[in-house]
Amino acid sequence: AQTVTQSQPEMSVQEAETVTLSCTYDTSESNYYLFWYKQPPSRQMILVIRQEAYKQQNATENRFSVNFQKAAKSFSLKISDSQLGDTAMYFCAFGGSNYQLIWGAGTKLIIKP
Amino acid sequence: NAGVTQTPKFRILKIGQSMTLQCTQDMNHNYMYWYRQDPGMGLKLIYYSVGAGITDKGEVPNGYNVSRSTTEDFPLRLELAAPSQTSVYFCASSYGGSSYNSPLHFGNGTRLTVT
């Protein structure tokens, strides 16, 4: 069975700093998808970035980028020039051959002014 | 753009009571999902549907039922509420299955407390 592990329950950084959230996963599948979702205090789940496993190039969305290491089964999220609005829970999720996304437990990120 | 709409936002139930969490989407998505989020945990899939008239169990279906009579609506039914069902419930939809090209669109969640 697939599993997703986020080893950092909580992180905090100063505004404008760069922060990296870690995520590791376990799977025997060769083709899959990985996602980072953000959940601000409003509770709305928002897709931040996604990565296809067969693409070697790391995905980038503005200030958000990933470091995808397929052999190591690692999928970290880097947030550059962090902003107060980035304060949220961040969830890593794995999408394989079935309809069930497997979710990590989340990392609470606090951006301090 | 309404997206995915869940009602109610909050609810307190007594043990043994029943209720239905409503979910509707206006994006003509085929796939719909119900998740629960317990404190400090990620989301767990309760039930999902790949189209009207088709539903299937997820990881934690016990104590819940669903129906999908239309593309838009996917209600979740709790028949005999138990304290273990205290959680935040999210409805989500997507055009396709859990794939790169069909990311999930979430409702704002329902916070349910069973006492």
Side-chain angles (χ1 to χ4, degrees):
Chain A
Q2 294 96 345
T3 58
V4 175
T5 302
Q6 293 179 249
S7 59
Q8 304 150 312
E10 183 169 327
M11 297 185 70
S12 65
V13 297
Q14 294 294 136
E15 190 176 9
E17 289 184 344
T18 295
V19 59
T20 299
L21 309 183
S22 66
C23 173
T24 59
Y25 58 94
D26 189 24
T27 185
S28 58
E29 298 187 30
S30 58
N31 192 27
Y32 49 86
Y33 309 91
L34 295 161
F35 306 85
W36 278 99
Y37 278 85
K38 167 184 177 181
Q39 186 180 39
S42 66
R43 229 166 49 195
Q44 177 80 40
M45 294 287 282
I46 303 164
L47 177 65
V48 174
I49 199 166
R50 51 190 167 174
Q51 174 83 40
E52 297 176 84
Y54 69 86
K55 285 190 175 179
Q56 292 188 344
Q57 185 174 4
N58 289 324
T60 300
E61 291 283 347
N62 300 315
R63 297 183 295 108
F64 298 88
S65 61
V66 299
N67 183 5
F68 174 50
Q69 303 288 329
K70 190 173 184 179
K73 295 180 181 175
S74 170
F75 182 61
S76 61
L77 174 69
K78 186 172 84 171
I79 305 174
S80 303
D81 186 25
S82 57
Q83 301 174 359
L84 297 179
D86 296 333
T87 292
M89 285 289 293
Y90 286 82
F91 291 94
C92 177
F94 171 98
S97 58
N98 63 22
Y99 301 120
Q100 300 192 34
L101 277 183
I102 308 300
W103 297 77
T107 295
K108 183 178 183 180
L109 176 64
I110 300 170
I111 309 299
K112 298 179 288 187
Chain B
N1 290 338
V4 178
T5 302
Q6 284 183 242
T7 56
K9 293 184 179 179
F10 304 93
R11 184 71 185 268
I12 299 174
L13 283 182
K14 294 189 183 300
I15 295 171
Q17 286 185 322
S18 301
M19 77 163 295
T20 299
L21 280 65
Q22 301 292 345
C23 176
T24 187
Q25 52 93 7
D26 62 358
M27 296 172 283
N28 202 32
H29 284 170
N30 293 318
Y31 291 72
M32 296 189 75
Y33 313 82
W34 274 106
Y35 287 93
R36 60 177 287 172
Q37 183 182 25
D38 298 327
M41 305 289 288
L43 280 73
K44 301 282 188 184
L45 183 65
I46 305 170
Y47 271 94
Y48 66 95
S49 168
V50 303
I54 305 170
T55 63
D56 208 345
K57 296 177 181 179
E59 186 180 357
V60 290
N62 292 342
Y64 308 94
N65 278 300
V66 294
S67 60
R68 184 93 182 270
S69 57
T70 66
T71 299
E72 295 78 20
D73 300 308
F74 190 43
L76 177 71
R77 178 80 177 164
L78 283 72
E79 290 293 347
L80 291 171
S84 62
Q85 294 177 304
T86 294
S87 189
V88 178
Y89 292 83
F90 286 96
C91 179
S93 72
S94 64
Y95 181 75
S98 295
S99 67
Y100 177 83
N101 290 318
S102 298
L104 298 177
H105 296 255
F106 284 85
N108 285 334
T110 296
R111 182 178 295 279
L112 175 66
T113 302
V114 182
T115 61

